[in-house]
Amino acid sequence: MRKPNGELSFRFLIISGWLVISAGSTPLERSTYIIHMDKSLMPKAFTSDNHWYSSTIDSLEVVSSLTASDHSPQYSSPQLLYSYNHVIRGFSAFLSEAELKQIKKSPAFVSAYKDKKVVVDTTHTVDWLSLNPSTGLWPASKFGKDVIIGVIDSGVWPESKSFRDDGLPPLPAKWKEIYFNKALIDRQPGIKITMNSPRDIYGHGTHTASTAAGNYVENVFFFGYAKGTTKGLLGQKEVIPQMLLPETSAAMQKGILLSASAGNDGPTHGNLKNDIPWALTVAASTTYRSFAGTLTLGNGLTIVGWAMFPANALLENFPLFYNETLALCDDFEMLSRSPYAIIICDDTGRVLDQLEYVARSNVVGAIFMSDDPVIFERGGVPWPGVVISQKEAPAGIKFQQTIIGKKPAPTVALYSSRGPSRNCPGILIPDVMAPGTLVLAAYIPSRPAAMIGGTIQLSSDFNVLSGTSMACPHAAGVAPMLKAVHPEWSPAAIRSAIMTTAYRLDNTDSPIRDNGNQLRMASPLDMGAGLIDPNRALDPGLIYDATSQDYINLLCAMNYTRRQILTFTMSKHYNCSNPSNDLNYPVFVGIYENKTSAIVQTFKRIVTNVGDKAATYKATVTAPKGTVVKVSLDKLVFRKKYERQSFFLTIRYTSREDGTVQFGWLTWMQDNGRHSVRSPIVISPLMINI
């Protein structure tokens, strides 16, 4: 018989295999399964993903009817439930185990797992970033086996459950343990070291290390909020709890990627904490999780507001009191004369100050009328209170609630430091954005994690913190897993993969917005290339690579002295014969100081095909406002893997009148749609009007 092709072959395998397995079978029991498929192997006979998946299920229906001996509900046909073509490629279906086995015979089958009811993760940023044990970066990297992450922070609390080694293999042979503190003692002979070891006495290092590489810990929460299972970005962990900051350039030259936090001095532009040109600098975002308090009025009306009071306070049937003078909530004497009631505080734009005054008063509780993003990002409510955006009579408040599905999300966090870089304006810093707001991770029990009023301190083994320090370890956890899968990739290649695959849309399919700028569209100076997408970074299609010499050329062009350059190269044998500000980097940044500078700018880039085979990419440009952007080649043709192609991108300014940031995108799209390689184009004055 002639060998059938594509769809017919797939159907034949399913039907023949099913008839053999089903002979004399017991009644069918079906469950819901989520199936991941390789879309690149979809037979050409199908017009769409959904057509392919529905045809697959239809072929099972024929078999099912052949094997059913009666008409009871348990013999109902298999059903296609959903098709997925964004975060994952595949579908969910109602199948028996035998039917699932037949689907697994398809060459395009990737993985399958049974749908089940689960508790929402507290450190849910892992799920927010679509990491899962079945497909993508986690299993591809063997869950970080033999990966070592160096955490430059305040140390770790080794007793934390997040640092258990249950079920983990032995430490890799290359691990060499040492604690560095001699230089500190030498510089300060009389220093009194509270804990002469890598033990964390501040909590910050424990939190960041467990975020990057913490083990699974079940049934944890922050005083009733965010209940679930915590886990870091790596399934298996070896954290380096050392305090030595190595020369970052030496790390880069040794193939080690440095992930650094952008700083917490936003939303003003130009206040970056770290703008190292070879580091992956990370901004902070919010997520779609929110902590809530429910306000119930005497007439039955319920309003869900924001709350993080760290106790299950019982506030029921108290009078609701509003007084125009008292409602400023900024005077201890006035608050002391408040009736024993739940008071309403007007929006004064100073909600943190109001919280402090109320916490030190004797009021029962408070309703804060505020849209100030500071409180939603910082957390820490030391008195029974809920933040809402409207006024509505007796009332009660219920605390310790967690809500998933907030929109829009992500947004750029208010506090996250923005570019441009003062030291290296041609590099987009921050590079990317990662979850950094109200992240739950391990903490130390010897320091307070929350307060009630102004005097009662509460400890916890887990804490919710906000900052770019919380965002940074998310990227730090992704980078070494990419290195584990692609050991030949340089730090620049890994950074490129993370940047060109980042999300730029939120969960409303709109451009990501900025909490620090009245929820206007965020620019790459705020969020970098977008929110990291670990699974897409595993297979970016093209990379913009850079060598150590490329970075030396950059330093030479920045007019560094010989001695300064030596601190980076750590060798006098360096070459400054070809200085260049134009680093081979997946962003095009045009910084101008006045209206007359740089009418035209040209950038040269080299991209490397890291796909499995030959490929063709076409260029699509969205030009920043006030510019005309041209690419020297509208098509890149690669005959094999690791082949390199070069192109030029030219920006011509037509207007620069308002002094604001303008941006667009260059996207290289593979002709079969498998890869989309996106780079920001940023036009900015050195001093920005926001």
Side-chain angles (χ1 to χ4, degrees):
M1 186 172 79
R2 180 175 62 87
K3 181 180 178 179
N5 60 10
E7 179 184 1
L8 294 177
S9 176
F10 187 44
R11 286 178 181 272
F12 178 77
L13 286 171
I14 293 175
I15 294 174
S16 62
W18 176 252
L19 288 173
V20 173
I21 292 174
S22 299
S25 63
T26 57
L28 304 175
E29 294 182 1
R30 290 190 171 88
S31 303
T32 301
Y33 290 90
I34 298 174
I35 318 292
H36 293 246
M37 303 289 280
D38 185 347
K39 187 182 177 182
S40 68
L41 298 178
M42 182 178 75
K44 295 182 179 179
F46 298 110
T47 58
S48 66
D49 296 12
N50 194 66
H51 181 202
W52 181 24
Y53 304 146
S54 61
S55 296
T56 301
I57 299 302
D58 288 344
S59 67
L60 294 173
E61 289 181 349
V62 175
V63 183
S64 180
S65 64
L66 293 174
T67 59
S69 59
D70 62 38
H71 299 286
S72 60
Q74 60 196 20
Y75 292 101
S76 61
S77 299
Q79 297 181 28
L80 176 69
L81 301 179
Y82 298 102
S83 295
Y84 309 116
N85 59 8
H86 294 291
V87 177
I88 65 172
R89 298 290 188 179
F91 60 93
S92 59
F94 191 57
L95 304 169
S96 69
E97 290 185 6
E99 290 162 346
L100 177 63
K101 287 181 180 179
Q102 302 314 301
I103 292 177
K104 288 181 177 180
K105 293 182 179 181
S106 165
F109 174 82
V110 176
S111 66
Y113 53 92
K114 187 178 292 187
D115 191 20
K116 60 182 179 180
K117 184 178 180 180
V118 296
V119 178
V120 175
D121 289 327
T122 50
T123 311
H124 80 124
T125 51
V126 168
D127 295 328
W128 176 238
L129 297 176
S130 301
L131 287 166
N132 69 82
S134 300
T135 60
L137 184 56
W138 260 0
S141 66
K142 298 180 181 179
F143 299 92
K145 182 179 181 181
D146 289 343
V147 168
I148 295 175
I149 299 178
V151 180
I152 304 168
D153 213 309
S154 61
V156 296
W157 190 265
E159 291 85 1
S160 171
K161 292 181 179 180
S162 289
F163 301 126
R164 293 178 310 183
D165 57 2
D166 299 6
L168 300 184
L171 288 169
K174 58 186 175 181
W175 169 250
K176 299 293 187 293
E177 184 176 359
I178 188 170
Y179 175 54
F180 298 94
N181 69 343
K182 291 182 179 179
L184 174 64
I185 297 173
D186 184 61
R187 285 197 307 270
Q188 304 179 52
I191 188 172
K192 294 182 179 179
I193 301 176
T194 306
M195 186 65 65
N196 192 22
S197 79
R199 177 177 291 279
D200 186 8
I201 60 172
Y202 297 101
H204 193 278
T206 297
H207 196 279
T208 58
S210 62
T211 300
N215 209 337
Y216 284 72
V217 184
E218 297 181 348
N219 194 31
V220 299
F221 49 84
F222 176 72
F223 299 104
Y225 299 94
K227 294 180 180 179
T229 301
T230 61
K231 49 185 176 284
L233 272 289
L234 285 172
Q236 313 205 28
K237 59 166 180 44
E238 290 87 28
V239 178
I240 304 177
Q242 63 185 38
M243 297 303 297
L244 174 67
L245 176 60
E247 294 293 337
T248 60
S249 61
M252 177 268 295
Q253 293 174 51
K254 294 292 185 180
I256 299 171
L257 177 66
L258 175 68
S259 177
S261 58
N264 301 321
D265 294 321
T268 304
H269 282 82
N271 287 331
L272 291 163
K273 178 181 179 182
N274 292 304
D275 53 357
I276 306 167
W278 45 77
L280 180 70
T281 305
V282 187
S285 79
T286 64
T287 69
Y288 65 175
R289 180 179 66 186
S290 179
F291 303 125
T294 301
L295 171 66
T296 303
L297 303 178
N299 59 8
L301 178 65
T302 297
I303 302 172
V304 177
W306 186 92
M308 276 192 73
F309 180 62
N312 191 16
L314 185 64
L315 273 67
E316 292 183 341
N317 297 318
F318 284 99
L320 185 63
F321 181 79
Y322 177 77
N323 175 277
E324 187 172 343
T325 303
L326 180 65
L328 296 177
C329 296
D330 61 356
D331 188 303
F332 286 123
E333 185 178 347
M334 288 291 296
L335 288 170
S336 68
R337 297 200 297 268
S338 168
Y340 197 60
I342 297 174
I343 67 170
I344 296 176
C345 299
D346 282 339
D347 187 356
T348 64
R350 302 186 303 275
V351 67
L352 295 182
D353 293 339
Q354 291 177 316
L355 278 169
E356 182 176 352
Y357 280 105
V358 169
R360 296 177 183 274
S361 72
N362 294 319
V363 301
V364 175
I367 300 169
F368 301 93
M369 314 303 298
S370 177
D371 291 310
D372 187 350
V374 171
I375 185 60
F376 305 120
E377 293 183 1
R378 196 193 79 160
V381 180
W383 198 253
V386 63
V387 183
I388 60 176
S389 300
Q390 56 183 311
K391 297 177 185 177
E392 287 294 333
I397 306 175
K398 181 181 179 181
F399 298 100
Q400 296 181 324
Q401 299 180 73
T402 302
I403 296 176
I404 300 296
K406 182 185 69 174
K407 295 182 179 181
T411 59
V412 181
L414 171 76
Y415 54 81
S416 187
S417 293
R418 274 78 163 158
S421 168
R422 303 298 190 191
N423 297 319
C424 193
I427 302 296
L428 177 67
I429 301 175
D431 297 286
V432 287
M433 181 171 69
T437 298
L438 299 179
V439 175
L440 179 65
Y443 203 62
I444 63 174
S446 58
R447 287 180 67 89
M451 298 278 291
I452 294 180
T455 57
I456 302 175
Q457 298 181 340
L458 305 177
S459 67
S460 174
D461 290 333
F462 293 85
N463 198 359
V464 170
L465 298 177
S466 296
T468 55
S469 290
M470 283 66 248
C472 178
H474 286 87
V478 170
M481 287 192 287
L482 292 174
K483 184 71 172 180
V485 180
H486 303 287
E488 75 281 7
W489 282 9
S490 69
I494 293 173
R495 178 166 71 163
S496 172
I498 293 173
M499 293 178 67
T500 61
T501 58
Y503 292 106
R504 70 179 187 90
L505 301 179
D506 62 22
N507 58 0
T508 69
D509 287 329
S510 300
I512 291 174
R513 300 179 182 276
D514 182 6
N515 262 6
N517 194 15
Q518 299 177 342
L519 288 180
R520 294 189 177 96
M521 189 186 306
S523 82
L525 293 185
D526 309 318
M527 66 175 183
L531 181 75
I532 61 172
D533 185 346
N535 292 329
R536 284 191 62 210
L538 178 65
D539 182 22
L542 304 177
I543 57 171
Y544 294 74
D545 207 353
T547 65
S548 299
Q549 184 59 49
D550 293 326
Y551 290 109
I552 292 173
N553 294 340
L554 176 64
L555 295 174
C556 296
M558 294 170 64
N559 296 320
Y560 277 73
T561 67
R562 177 178 175 82
R563 183 176 296 276
Q564 288 172 325
I565 294 176
L566 282 174
T567 64
F568 293 99
T569 63
M570 287 183 254
S571 170
K572 62 182 180 181
H573 301 292
Y574 66 88
N575 184 356
C576 245
S577 62
N578 188 30
S580 175
N581 281 311
D582 195 17
L583 184 69
N584 196 47
Y585 174 70
V587 182
F588 307 88
V589 181
I591 301 290
Y592 61 90
E593 296 187 26
N594 53 57
K595 292 183 179 180
T596 62
S597 63
I599 303 301
V600 177
Q601 289 182 275
T602 299
F603 306 83
K604 180 183 178 180
R605 293 292 184 268
I606 301 172
V607 287
T608 304
N609 176 29
V610 293
D612 291 331
K613 52 188 177 182
T616 299
Y617 287 83
K618 294 182 179 179
T620 301
V621 174
T622 302
K625 181 181 178 181
T627 69
V628 174
V629 177
K630 292 186 177 180
V631 183
S632 61
L633 298 173
D634 61 0
K635 182 187 295 186
L636 297 176
V637 180
F638 299 91
R639 297 180 296 276
K640 59 184 179 179
K641 187 175 183 178
Y642 298 128
E643 183 178 352
R644 305 170 78 200
Q645 297 279 356
S646 62
F647 66 91
F648 293 89
L649 182 141
T650 301
I651 302 173
R652 181 169 62 86
Y653 298 85
T654 58
S655 65
R656 292 172 296 189
E657 297 180 357
D658 59 0
T660 59
V661 180
Q662 302 297 332
F663 61 94
W665 307 89
L666 166 65
T667 304
W668 289 105
M669 180 70 71
Q670 192 172 0
D671 55 2
N672 63 6
R674 179 169 181 174
H675 296 109
S676 176
V677 187
R678 185 174 55 249
S679 296
I681 305 171
V682 183
I683 306 300
S684 172
L686 198 58
M687 302 300 293
I688 300 173
N689 300 324
I690 61 171

